Each structure stands twice: as structure tokens, then as C-alpha cells.
Amino acid sequence: MKRKRVALVLAGGAARGAYEIGVVQYVLEEVAASLGRPLRFDILCGTSVGALNACGFAAWAHEGKAAVSRLLHVWHSLRLESLVRTDVRSLLTSFGLRATNVPAREGGMLDPTGIEELVHESIPFERIDENLAEGHVDALTVSTTHVQSGRTVVFVQTASGKLPRWSADPTIEPRAVKIRAPHALASAAIPILFRSVRIDGEFHCDGGLRQNVPLSPARRLGADALLVINPRFVETRGAERSASRNQGGSGAQPPSVYAALAPADPKKEEAFPGPLFLLGKTLNALLLDRIDTDLARLESVNRILDAGTRAWGEEFIPTLNATLGYAPGHGLRPLRPMLVRASRDIGALASDFVRAHQSTMTGITGRVMRRLAASSGDPNESDLLSYVLFDGRFAKELIELGWSDAKDRHDELCDFFRGLG
């Protein structure tokens, strides 16, 4: 039986992205050990910090599971004071307090120089070309938002250098390129925090504005299964979690399809929140993912295709696609998803971390971190802090959380990969 193609889909979240490395490490080491064979990801799709992680995995794909060690080293080496610095030039320009020919839309609160240098020095982007040519990985995508039009631009690199068949979508523009540092940095350029990046004369920023979890590129590139990793925590009610597990139909139900926000605290409504709290919520809104809706829709299609095949035989799907006007080999097909999502509020973890390490956080950056941790008086509301806490020690905590969450789903992950051949 032909081995099915697996896509690794990595979401955005700035400093929260360390969580994704922990999940992948567990999969490539522990799940692979249980199955008795090495595991690989054929297609890598990332947005925002997920794009940086995806590029790292693509660049070191020839090293197999050792690629994780490369990324672990990068995340562990993060130094807050060199990566989180106020971009005074951009702030003054944005408020019209400094005459310059730099466009206002390029501005951001933080100076990206440290992160740019880290990405350029840490990831051998040219090696991606070799790994694609040698078959260590089939495709890599990085999603950005084109500032002028608001469209999602999906930069695609394949061994052939050509785009796959891509159905028309006015909100998404695929482009075949050799992916380099500017593409990854543009995908990670969160509005407000970091200035946008110029690519071929155009300004691009965080792809998470429209496509925080890039399922669509993975599907269009021919993936048969998706392992989706999202560091975004969603609080659910116990009864709704049980309902999602007990739904009938074929295939596993995507987690948190019935997710609901926790009830509002009346006491917190009495005081209007400060600007730092609002900025954190604004970033959450900008990068709001629709992963539960997307996975629920995907699972509905899977159930329809499965029911049709059981009722009318193996020719049901080809006949349906032909009737819908798709060319042979294209159209609707089963696509198996699995979502691993953070089990704890990373905003709360960030606040706890800063409070536990206050004595080591010195200088302007340290004072800002302490202010962010204390701004709301509630560790569960430190959203902004969790985006900018680029600290190797905090990254280690998130990596351990990712490992732990994957470990809790060990049997599900084994079943997921076992069924792919």
C-alpha cells in the first residue's frame, strides 16, 4: 500500500511557538519508537512563528529526528534583552514626531534586528533547496498578509519549482518561490509589534491575520493527513468536551469543536482594563484562528465521503468529483486531521515565569516585562506578555508543555500515524 503523505501544520503565536517544538520532538522520538519506525513529515506549512519553525524543519529535514535538536538549541539560546527592544524610530515615525521617508506601515513597537539576525544565522535556508531535491521533504509553505490588498499570500516551494493545481480563491494568492529568511520574517511580523517586511517591492506582514493555521495549503499540496499544532489555549466546559468525544460518525472528532469561552467574571467588569491588557486582546483578535470551524467542516466532508463510499462503493468519490466538474485526480477526498493544542493558558505561564524570575530581569526590557506581568493583576490575562517573552528559559517550559500534551495523547498519535502506512 502506498504510504500516505503527512503534513505538519504549525500555527502562529510569536514566543508561544516553542510549544510546537515540544510536540514534534515527542512525535519524532517517542511515537516513532512505539511504532518501531522513523516518522517524517512530507509537507511543512507554517504561519507566523510557525513559519520560522517550518523553515527550520525543512532546512534540517535530511537529519531526520535530529532536526528537532537543532531547533531546540535555537529556542534555548533566546536572550530577552537582545530580542525585545523598543523601536524608537518606528514609534516616533508612526506618531509623526520624526521626519523620515520610511512608510508608516513599516513601523512597529519592537526593533526586529535581533530576531532578524537570529533567523539569518540559525537557519540554513539554502539547504531547503537541497532537501527538496533529495526528497527529504516534498513541499514547504509560508503564509503572509500582503499589506496593500489584505490578501493572504502563500509562498510555496516544491522540488519542481512549480505550483500545484490551485483552485481559484480571491483571498489567497499562491506564489512559487525559493523560500528565504525575508519570507519567514514577513510571516512572523505581527502588526503593532513588528514592522512589515518588503518582498519584491511589496510590504508583507503576519499571515495569521487571515490564515493563522494554514490547513488550505497543506490540502492543496496533496496531503492525506494533517498533524496540526496550535499553542493557543481554549478553555472548554467539561460537558462539551465529553460531547465532542461521544459524537457518532466515522473518524475521530476534532478536539474542541464545541469549545466555549469561560463565563465572564463580574468583578473584573467593574474596572476598565489598561492599555497593555487591551493591546494583548487586540493581538489575540488579529490572530484569531478558526481552526475548530475548519476542522469541523473537514470532518463533515470526511463523513459524507465515507458514507457515500459505504453505500455506493469505491467509485462514489471519483463519480462525485466528475459530476462537480473536477479534473481526474482532483476534487474532494478524505483528509485525516489531528489537532494538538496547548492544555494550559500560556499567558498565565508567562506571567508566572516573569514573577518567578524578576531578579534576573534587569534593564529597560526587564522593567517592561515586569510591568506586563503586573498590568492586569491577573496572570490569566497576560496575553501580550506571552507574545513577546522571547526567553530561552521560558521557551524550555513551553517545550516541556508541548512534550507533555503530546504524551497525554500518545495512543491517539500512534493510531494517527499507524493508519498512514
Side-chain angles (χ1 to χ4, degrees):
M1 183 177 67
K2 182 180 178 182
R3 189 182 66 83
K4 295 181 179 179
R5 303 173 80 203
V6 185
L8 176 64
V9 180
L10 301 175
R16 304 177 185 189
Y19 173 87
E20 300 169 348
I21 306 304
V23 176
V24 176
Q25 181 185 20
Y26 188 88
V27 168
L28 295 184
E29 294 180 2
E30 301 301 319
V31 175
S34 292
L35 296 178
R37 59 182 172 86
L39 299 176
R40 62 166 265 168
F41 297 105
D42 305 282
I43 299 165
L44 299 166
C45 301
T47 294
S48 192
V49 72
L52 296 173
N53 286 335
C55 288
F57 283 122
W60 292 305
H62 61 292
E63 298 187 8
K65 68 179 182 181
V68 175
S69 298
R70 299 280 194 169
L71 282 163
L72 284 172
H73 175 74
V74 174
W75 279 99
H76 287 162
S77 68
L78 298 185
R79 295 294 176 265
L80 189 64
E81 61 276 6
S82 64
L83 298 179
V84 182
R85 294 177 293 188
T86 303
D87 192 337
V88 177
R89 184 203 69 169
S90 292
L91 287 175
L92 292 176
T93 300
S94 298
F95 286 101
L97 300 177
R98 179 176 183 269
T100 178
N101 59 359
V102 176
R105 61 187 170 186
E106 191 183 352
M109 293 178 59
L110 302 179
D111 182 353
T113 304
I115 292 178
E116 290 172 355
E117 292 175 351
L118 178 68
V119 170
H120 280 281
E121 294 171 0
S122 301
I123 302 177
F125 284 88
E126 291 75 12
R127 180 68 218 191
I128 295 173
D129 307 348
E130 298 175 40
N131 284 336
L132 285 163
E134 295 168 5
H136 297 296
V137 65
D138 296 343
L140 168 68
T141 75
V142 166
S143 300
T144 71
T145 299
H146 179 223
V147 174
Q148 183 66 30
S149 66
R151 291 194 306 273
T152 295
V153 175
V154 180
F155 293 104
V156 181
Q157 185 170 359
T158 61
S160 67
K162 298 179 181 179
L163 284 173
R165 187 182 183 91
W166 207 283
S167 57
D169 185 334
T171 68
I172 300 178
E173 178 186 348
R175 298 183 188 179
V177 299
K178 288 188 175 181
I179 292 175
R180 295 294 184 263
H183 302 100
L185 288 166
S187 182
I190 299 177
I192 304 174
L193 291 184
F194 299 106
R195 59 177 178 251
S196 54
V197 176
R198 193 191 292 265
I199 300 175
D200 297 329
E202 302 172 341
F203 284 103
H204 292 257
C205 65
D206 199 303
L209 297 184
R210 281 183 173 269
Q211 194 182 77
N212 196 43
V213 184
L215 298 184
S216 176
R219 179 174 58 82
R220 287 182 166 89
L221 284 163
D224 298 297
L226 310 174
L227 177 61
V228 185
I229 306 176
N230 191 354
R232 188 184 186 94
F233 170 77
V234 175
E235 188 168 358
T236 60
R237 298 188 181 98
E240 287 162 338
R241 287 197 296 269
S242 298
S244 68
R245 295 192 188 102
N246 296 327
Q247 291 294 310
S250 64
Q253 292 292 321
S256 302
V257 168
Y258 299 91
L261 296 176
D265 185 343
K267 293 182 179 179
K268 295 177 184 177
E269 296 290 349
E270 295 177 3
F272 188 79
L276 295 177
F277 171 86
L278 290 176
L279 179 55
K281 294 304 181 188
T282 299
L283 290 174
N284 273 346
L286 284 174
L287 303 178
L288 179 66
D289 65 69
R290 295 167 292 276
I291 185 63
D292 293 308
T293 301
D294 292 343
L295 289 178
R297 185 183 300 114
L298 177 59
E299 190 59 31
S300 294
V301 172
N302 284 342
R303 288 199 298 272
I304 291 170
L305 296 179
D306 180 66
T309 299
R310 285 187 282 110
W312 290 289
E314 295 297 327
E315 289 303 310
F316 170 75
I317 295 177
T319 301
L320 176 63
N321 285 326
T323 304
L324 292 172
Y326 290 108
H330 298 279
L332 301 175
R333 57 191 175 82
L335 185 57
R336 187 178 183 185
M338 180 166 181
L339 169 65
V340 179
R341 167 182 271 151
S343 63
R344 297 182 62 187
D345 186 336
I346 293 181
L349 293 178
S351 181
D352 291 342
F353 176 86
V354 171
R355 292 175 183 181
H357 296 84
Q358 290 188 64
S359 61
T360 66
M361 294 194 170
T362 59
I364 296 176
T365 299
R367 289 199 297 271
V368 171
M369 294 299 109
R370 295 197 301 271
R371 171 70 185 279
L372 288 174
S375 61
S376 66
D378 184 341
N380 293 309
E381 296 176 349
S382 300
D383 297 305
L384 176 59
L385 179 61
S386 68
Y387 281 109
V388 299
L389 192 54
F390 290 99
D391 184 289
R393 297 166 299 174
F394 180 60
K396 185 174 184 294
E397 289 190 10
L398 297 189
I399 290 166
E400 290 172 353
L401 175 62
W403 173 283
S404 176
D405 285 350
K407 182 179 180 180
D408 289 343
R409 314 260 316 265
H410 179 87
D411 291 343
E412 292 176 71
L413 285 164
C414 287
D415 288 343
F416 174 81
F417 283 99
R418 188 179 291 115
L420 300 177

